[in-house]
Amino acid sequence: MWKDTSFIEKVLLKVYGIKAASVKELSSGFNSVSYQIDDGFCNYSLRVSSASTERIEKILTDIRISQFLHDVLPTSWYVKSLQGNYFEVFEDCIIRLTFFLEGYPFDSKTQPLELALSVLKKIHSSKLPDFEHSENVFGGSVRTSAQNVLLHGDFIPSNLLMSHGKISGVLDFEHSFIGPLEYDLASFISHFCMPYSKKEMELVIRQVVADYGGIVRLGLLHQYLVHQLDKSINPIVSMLFVSPEEKLLKKQHAFILKKKEEVLNLSLEFE
């Protein structure tokens, strides 16, 4: 149903009063689909997701953080529905519309990591009033530390758009929470530096520590680096023997295991 153009056109008209001139699918996941919408005047991004209480909570987080950071970063700007809401539940689907952000996912092979790191620093230095959402990391709450900051929570290349050599979009704050900055830094290093050699990764870590003025807790950063790689491995393992792409998955699995071994061998560098 989500991939039915007539359904998308009906959603746009009934929920937003928008008559689409064109509808183009951008991406499709397990429980959501994204579209680029052109009504002849503006371009929009429409996201259709399966409805659940957990999903709504995450969307509310994304809305709040995106709106809060919009003055300092090119975040998504939500369009209100005809009912005056930033999202609607329509026929068991969650519907949300934002103005379209031009760009392509950040490529660490061709673009400077300093640009991506500058985004993290702006997020971490932002003080959002009355936002106390926390996550359990390694089985324990992280909300009690005085060193906790606002985190993106899922800082990966596909959530950072580039256009003409500049950051054009910072996406998906659904997983934002208050926690240790090392969590985001580990996500940055493990995902943006995946193609890098062990030596290159060590240089990036030194640069990150220097940019943050020496406040990075290296032991904790190391823990989170291993944690991030485990998160990358687990879904691959679950699909390894049931997917038609078994050969490709095995190659990805071996690559990430090699990266994990390299990270584990970085332990002496963190002492």
Side-chain angles (χ1 to χ4, degrees):
M1 179 177 69
W2 295 353
K3 293 179 179 291
D4 185 347
T5 301
S6 62
F7 171 74
I8 299 303
E9 291 173 345
K10 180 173 72 171
V11 166
L12 288 165
L13 198 56
K14 287 195 172 185
V15 178
Y16 294 97
I18 292 174
K19 187 173 182 180
S22 67
V23 176
K24 176 185 177 183
E25 184 178 325
L26 294 176
S27 63
S28 178
F30 180 71
N31 59 5
S32 67
V33 184
S34 297
Y35 297 91
Q36 181 179 350
I37 309 297
D38 182 1
D39 68 352
F41 301 97
C42 291
N43 277 321
Y44 305 93
S45 293
L46 178 75
R47 295 181 69 177
V48 185
S49 311
S50 55
S52 70
T53 302
E54 181 182 6
R55 173 60 62 182
I56 288 173
E57 289 176 356
K58 290 184 179 299
I59 290 171
L60 288 171
T61 297
D62 183 52
I63 292 169
R64 185 174 183 195
I65 305 297
S66 296
Q67 307 282 65
F68 173 72
L69 292 173
H70 195 70
D71 287 341
V72 294
L73 289 170
T75 56
S76 298
W77 190 256
Y78 280 77
V79 178
K80 286 186 177 181
S81 69
L82 294 174
Q83 300 297 318
N85 301 315
Y86 285 119
F87 75 91
E88 295 286 354
V89 177
F90 181 84
E91 296 187 8
D92 297 323
C93 301
I94 302 173
I95 309 297
R96 43 189 163 144
L97 189 72
T98 59
F99 289 105
F100 185 73
L101 292 171
E102 297 281 353
Y104 50 90
F106 190 96
D107 183 358
S108 57
K109 292 180 181 178
T110 60
Q111 289 148 354
L113 290 179
E114 290 83 357
L115 280 176
L117 189 60
S118 69
V119 170
L120 268 187
K121 292 178 74 174
K122 287 181 180 178
I123 295 171
H124 294 165
S125 63
S126 299
K127 308 294 183 185
L128 179 59
D130 303 319
F131 184 71
E132 297 182 353
H133 179 63
S134 62
E135 293 285 343
N136 287 332
V137 183
F138 298 138
S141 177
V142 297
R143 68 184 302 173
T144 56
S145 173
Q147 290 181 277
N148 288 346
V149 297
L150 176 65
L151 303 179
H152 182 282
D154 190 26
F155 198 69
I156 58 178
S158 59
N159 284 336
L160 195 62
L161 301 181
M162 294 289 296
S163 180
H164 304 292
K166 297 180 179 180
I167 303 293
S168 60
V170 186
L171 310 176
D172 291 343
F173 288 88
E174 292 185 6
H175 299 280
S176 286
F177 65 100
I178 301 297
L181 58 86
E182 290 84 0
Y183 185 90
D184 266 355
L185 293 177
S187 182
F188 164 71
I189 293 166
S190 61
H191 289 96
F192 285 76
C193 303
M194 189 65 79
Y196 288 22
S197 67
K198 177 175 175 285
K199 185 175 181 180
E200 288 172 328
M201 191 176 289
E202 288 172 350
L203 291 173
V204 170
I205 292 171
R206 288 197 183 97
Q207 184 60 52
V208 167
V209 172
D211 282 356
Y212 272 80
I215 65 171
V216 178
R217 293 164 289 186
L218 295 175
L220 190 57
L221 177 62
H222 194 203
Q223 279 185 292
Y224 284 139
L225 279 169
V226 176
H227 174 68
Q228 288 289 344
L229 289 168
D230 282 339
K231 281 174 62 179
S232 299
I233 291 172
N234 291 339
I236 294 176
V237 171
S238 66
M239 296 171 58
L240 204 50
F241 302 107
V242 296
S243 170
E245 302 292 336
E246 182 180 339
K247 187 174 181 180
L248 176 62
L249 288 171
K250 283 183 176 179
K251 187 175 180 180
Q252 292 176 339
H253 183 247
F255 177 75
I256 296 175
L257 282 178
K258 180 184 176 183
K259 284 296 170 185
K260 182 179 178 180
E261 185 65 27
E262 289 178 357
V263 167
L264 287 171
N265 288 332
L266 288 172
S267 58
L268 293 178
E269 302 293 330
F270 290 84
E271 297 298 334

